[in-house]
Amino acid sequence: MVVVRRGIVEVDMDRVGAGPPVVLIGGIARQRLWSGLAEALADRYRVLMLDVHGQGATPAWTGEHRMTLAGQARLVHAVTAGSTERLALVGHSLGAAVALRAAVELDERVAAVVAFEPTAFALLATPGREESWAAVRAERDRLRARLAAGEREEAVRGSSDFWLGPGSWDRFTPEERAPIEDGIEHRLAEWDAVTDPGLTLADLATGPAPTMLVSDPETLRPLREVTEVLAEARPDWTRVDLPGAGHWAPLTRPDLVHPLVRGYLEEHL
């Protein structure tokens, strides 16, 4: 573990391998999500696995302003500052949305982006996407209300059921429940970032880097529709479906994800 400090920004990260830099960004603790992919890439790339705000030793989001994707993208700037090397960004869920934002900001420095089911739900505030937009805001507001009322167990159970399906919480072991419970309060800040009414397609879909959008066609409808909105805005981007892989494909289907990511990176970096 290395804690990188750039000005007021602190980010917890790990580094393995040697070669062109590849930054891995997830919405859960990096070691749990990315350790297998990092190992699969380390013979060719310098892999930087970072934790977003509230994960690992990266401080939770603080301050008078609500979290934004641009605020999370500062972490990417922190771990890539001081170099002009071209790099790749690979993100999952919240991390995928952060990767897309960072790719716009870093511009020509980014050689490739791989985004697994980005949670940029604010992009659903558009005609034809009203039902999904309402569903994610309702889940955000339920979580906020339950935590405010001190109903922490119901908040955790409801969040699990939303992301992983009804009854998922009851199927988990205590070890599997722990990371969900530990981070539940921070989920509110993340909801602020991904439902930010100021977030636009220009913030996420104007980077010049070749980009691959990856999703399960049977994933949660709001997640699927975010990918659709991005693909419609950027028909030049590559879109890959992984049927049956689910939202947590980097964790549950490394047999599909590792060769897919490596092949795309080898093509562009």
Side-chain angles (χ1 to χ4, degrees), residues 53-115:
H53 284 289
Q55 298 289 345
T58 302
W61 184 263
T62 58
E64 59 186 58
H65 302 295
R66 291 188 170 187
M67 181 193 289
T68 63
L69 294 181
Q72 289 278 22
R74 293 186 308 173
L75 303 175
V76 180
H77 288 279
V79 302
T80 59
S83 171
T84 59
E85 291 177 287
R86 302 202 74 204
L87 55 92
L89 303 172
V90 180
H92 168 262
S93 198
L94 171 67
V98 174
L100 292 172
R101 177 59 198 159
V104 172
E105 296 178 359
L106 290 168
D107 198 47
E108 296 289 345
R109 274 202 67 194
V110 181
V113 180
V114 181

Side-chain angles (χ1 to χ4, degrees), residues 35-173:
S35 58
L37 179 59
E39 183 178 340
L41 298 175
D43 65 316
R44 181 183 174 102
Y45 299 103
R46 185 169 78 257
V47 184
L48 312 176
M49 296 177 282
L50 67 83
D51 277 333
V52 296
H53 284 289
Q55 298 289 345
T58 302
W61 184 263
T62 58
E64 59 186 58
H65 302 295
R66 291 188 170 187
M67 181 193 289
T68 63
L69 294 181
Q72 289 278 22
R74 293 186 308 173
L75 303 175
V76 180
H77 288 279
V79 302
T80 59
S83 171
T84 59
E85 291 177 287
R86 302 202 74 204
L87 55 92
L89 303 172
V90 180
H92 168 262
S93 198
L94 171 67
V98 174
L100 292 172
R101 177 59 198 159
V104 172
E105 296 178 359
L106 290 168
D107 198 47
E108 296 289 345
R109 274 202 67 194
V110 181
V113 180
V114 181
F116 289 90
E117 297 198 349
T119 57
F121 294 129
L123 301 184
L124 301 177
T126 187
R129 309 288 181 178
E130 296 92 347
E131 189 173 337
S132 288
W133 178 226
V136 296
R137 286 180 295 152
E139 175 58 26
R140 175 199 64 191
D141 295 344
R142 275 193 297 270
L143 178 61
R144 193 182 306 278
R146 285 167 173 163
L147 289 175
E151 300 171 354
R152 196 170 188 274
E153 183 176 347
E154 286 304 307
V156 174
R157 183 183 299 274
S159 182
S160 175
D161 286 354
F162 176 79
W163 288 105
L164 301 170
S168 60
W169 186 248
D170 294 326
R171 296 191 296 270
F172 289 155
T173 66

